[in-house]
Amino acid sequence: TLGHAFRATWPIWDLRSPFFLMTTIYPVQAALIRAGVSDVASLVLAGRVVMAVLSSAGLWVIYLCASRLYGRTLALVATVILATESLQIVFGGLELPRTLSAVFVVLAFFFLRSERPRMAALTGVCLALAACLRFSEVVFMLPALLSVAIERRWRDAVVLMAGGLGVRLRPLT
């Protein structure tokens, strides 16, 4: 992000996918640069703060989804477990997409519980966004499809795949 922000010749496009960095961290860093901040340490800290905020928002997503599905008590337990989980703590303040992709996976399976077609489309979109953040998250598409297939929700399977395939990314320049 800093190479792009400072228009440096640093080969940032050697990354397999700039999607995560350019949609989460870069906008904040670019705004700070426009405001006159040029200290690299401050810009790196800004990226980490962005991820800490997004990771904390993930706790709210877990709580809201779990409370609707299982009640407030179990939702609170689930949120506390996630908040104290070592990977959540370690990666929550780093410029890595793990915690944010997990939010999209949780949202996807929350949306999948509904039998409305638009929720199946949102499931596909969330899973595709998670896979854009971390390529390995594409593996969650299979259990989502199996889930609707077991329930013989064929239309939802098609809509889910269409939602996922509809997330098309171009190189972010």
Side-chain angles (χ1 to χ4, degrees):
T1 59
L2 295 178
H4 189 66
F6 292 126
R7 297 187 184 349
T9 58
W10 183 55
I12 66 168
W13 303 122
D14 286 352
L15 296 171
R16 292 191 307 171
S17 173
F19 177 78
F20 164 68
L21 295 170
M22 298 307 287
T23 59
T24 57
I25 295 175
Y26 176 74
V28 172
Q29 289 177 335
L32 288 173
I33 289 169
R34 276 190 227 106
V37 176
S38 61
D39 175 38
V40 172
S42 297
L43 296 171
V44 169
L45 177 63
R48 291 184 176 192
V49 168
V50 167
M51 284 311 300
V53 169
L54 292 173
S55 295
S56 298
L59 296 173
W60 281 106
V61 168
I62 290 291
Y63 179 79
L64 293 173
C65 292
S67 65
R68 287 197 178 168
L69 295 173
Y70 306 110
R72 289 166 47 189
T73 303
L74 286 178
L76 186 58
V77 171
T79 305
V80 168
I81 289 171
L82 180 63
T84 58
E85 199 271 325
S86 63
L87 287 177
Q88 178 76 10
I89 293 169
V90 170
F91 288 101
L94 296 178
E95 301 92 337
L96 296 170
R98 181 182 306 268
T99 55
L100 186 56
S101 67
V103 170
F104 284 113
V105 171
V106 168
L107 281 173
F109 283 93
F110 176 73
F111 293 146
L112 192 61
R113 303 274 304 187
S114 171
E115 293 188 15
R116 290 182 279 169
R118 77 171 175 219
M119 292 297 146
L122 279 174
T123 297
V125 167
C126 284
L127 290 176
L129 288 172
C132 289
L133 295 171
R134 288 188 77 221
F135 298 134
S136 61
E137 308 303 52
V138 74
V139 73
F140 289 108
M141 191 63 82
L142 182 61
L145 287 169
L146 284 173
S147 177
V148 293
I150 288 170
E151 296 175 4
R152 299 186 188 283
R153 293 168 45 195
W154 307 117
R155 178 191 62 190
D156 286 350
V158 170
V159 170
L160 189 155
M161 285 303 295
L165 292 172
V167 176
R168 179 172 170 254
L169 299 177
R170 296 180 181 177
L172 300 171
T173 57

